[in-house]
Amino acid sequence: MSITSAAELSGMQKISEAVAITLKRMRDFARPGMTAKELDDFGGKILIEMGAKSAPRLTYGFPGWTCISVNHEVAHGIPSETKIFKEGDLINIDVSAELDGFWADNGGSFILGEDINNHKALVDASKVILQKAISRIKGGVKISEIGRFIEMEARKSGFKVIKNLAGHGVGRSLHEDPHEILNCYVHDNKQRFRKNSVVAIETFISTASTYADHGKDGWTMTGNKGGFVAQHEHTIIVTDGKPVILTSANEIY
């Protein structure tokens, strides 16, 4: 969507704050020995308290309030009772929701407790690359150039990117045009970021895989070559200068 009024800006600020605070509180609440369902239910209660509705449930009938992916899972992990967190796990929480007709999306990967499995470099790279990529976005910039930048920065850090998962437009629905703000360069993509548009920008930084495949449950995605992936995501408003980060309350960096 494009922000054309104070009412639209206020609506996007409210839903963005709701998903950002939910993500932050879920991250702080996670503990070894806890199940993903417990963490998801905690997040669901926060969304309800804020008057928001889970976007994956509302849009796709997803079996959870949020997506929770652990270790080798790349994205869209089901928050089940059998998924039990352990010290050093690489956990990703993706929170998207709707409130009063407005939609926002954010996510983040983090290490649970002590970094006994050496994931810090991957997580830090994902955060830093997202921050750098967002700082380069403004009206008129080619979407493909941001993808090129993310991929180059990942390479410099010794990592790869997942090429078939992408950021996207958001605002009046969960996924809007532009539908593919990829983490890699696509020569045929001539789209440019538009001033006042709302987009969700996300990194998918990988240790080994370059594509994510759906698993048997129909939801959970894993890498085609194994390894681990860290994802971080903000909903932003594109301007003529510095973007407005609507989900900054998640404190992912």
Side-chain angles (χ1 to χ4, degrees):
M1 71 175 286
S2 289
I3 301 294
T4 60
S5 68
E8 288 179 336
L9 175 58
S10 176
M12 282 307 305
Q13 287 172 329
K14 286 178 182 176
I15 183 54
S16 296
E17 182 179 41
V19 297
I21 288 173
T22 300
L23 175 59
K24 181 182 184 302
R25 289 183 61 187
M26 288 178 72
R27 187 177 65 233
D28 293 343
F29 187 67
R31 296 286 185 276
M34 178 183 289
T35 69
K37 186 178 188 305
E38 286 177 89
L39 182 59
D40 183 59
D41 286 342
F42 175 77
K45 287 178 183 177
I46 299 169
L47 289 175
I48 291 170
E49 287 169 3
M50 293 188 165
K53 297 176 183 176
S54 162
R57 274 194 170 194
L58 197 60
T59 307
Y60 302 113
F62 181 74
W65 300 96
T66 68
C67 299
I68 300 177
S69 306
V70 181
N71 293 328
H72 296 291
E73 297 173 343
V74 173
H76 307 156
I78 296 173
S80 67
E81 291 180 341
T82 57
K83 192 179 290 184
I84 302 170
F85 301 143
K86 302 182 299 297
E87 186 82 12
D89 276 349
L90 176 63
I91 299 175
N92 177 268
I93 304 172
D94 195 305
V95 183
S96 55
E98 179 273 342
L99 176 62
D100 297 331
F102 295 95
W103 303 65
D105 196 356
N106 74 160
S109 296
F110 63 98
I111 300 155
L112 188 63
E114 188 179 346
D115 183 26
I116 57 178
N117 299 310
N118 301 313
H119 294 309
K120 187 176 185 298
L122 175 65
V123 172
D124 287 350
S126 178
K127 289 181 187 179
V128 170
I129 293 169
L130 177 64
Q131 192 170 24
K132 287 182 177 180
I134 287 175
S135 73
R136 289 171 169 257
I137 295 173
K138 61 181 178 180
V141 170
K142 286 185 178 180
I143 288 173
S144 60
E145 288 302 324
I146 295 301
R148 189 205 298 269
F149 175 78
I150 291 171
E151 188 169 22
M152 286 176 59
E153 288 296 306
R155 228 177 259 152
K156 285 180 189 176
S157 301
F159 299 111
K160 305 174 187 296
V161 297
I162 298 297
K163 297 184 178 183
N164 63 328
L165 291 174
H168 50 88
V170 68
R172 285 299 189 177
S173 62
L174 180 56
H175 292 101
E176 298 178 347
D177 188 61
H179 290 282
E180 290 197 337
I181 305 174
L182 291 162
N183 284 199
C184 58
Y185 180 70
V186 179
H187 178 267
D188 294 337
N189 185 357
K190 305 301 182 184
Q191 278 189 298
R192 296 175 184 267
F193 288 101
R194 291 178 293 106
K195 180 185 176 182
N196 297 327
S197 66
V198 182
V199 293
I201 304 296
E202 52 189 319
T203 51
F204 288 95
I205 310 303
S206 168
T207 61
S209 294
T210 51
Y211 289 90
D213 301 321
H214 280 101
K216 293 180 181 178
D217 63 19
W219 296 105
T220 307
M221 302 188 82
T222 55
N224 64 327
K225 295 181 180 178
F228 298 89
V229 173
Q231 177 259 18
H232 290 87
E233 176 182 23
H234 272 306
T235 291
I236 70 171
I237 302 174
V238 180
T239 73
D240 277 339
K242 186 178 179 181
V244 177
I245 301 178
L246 292 170
T247 48
S248 59
N250 62 29
E251 297 181 6
I252 60 175
Y253 54 71

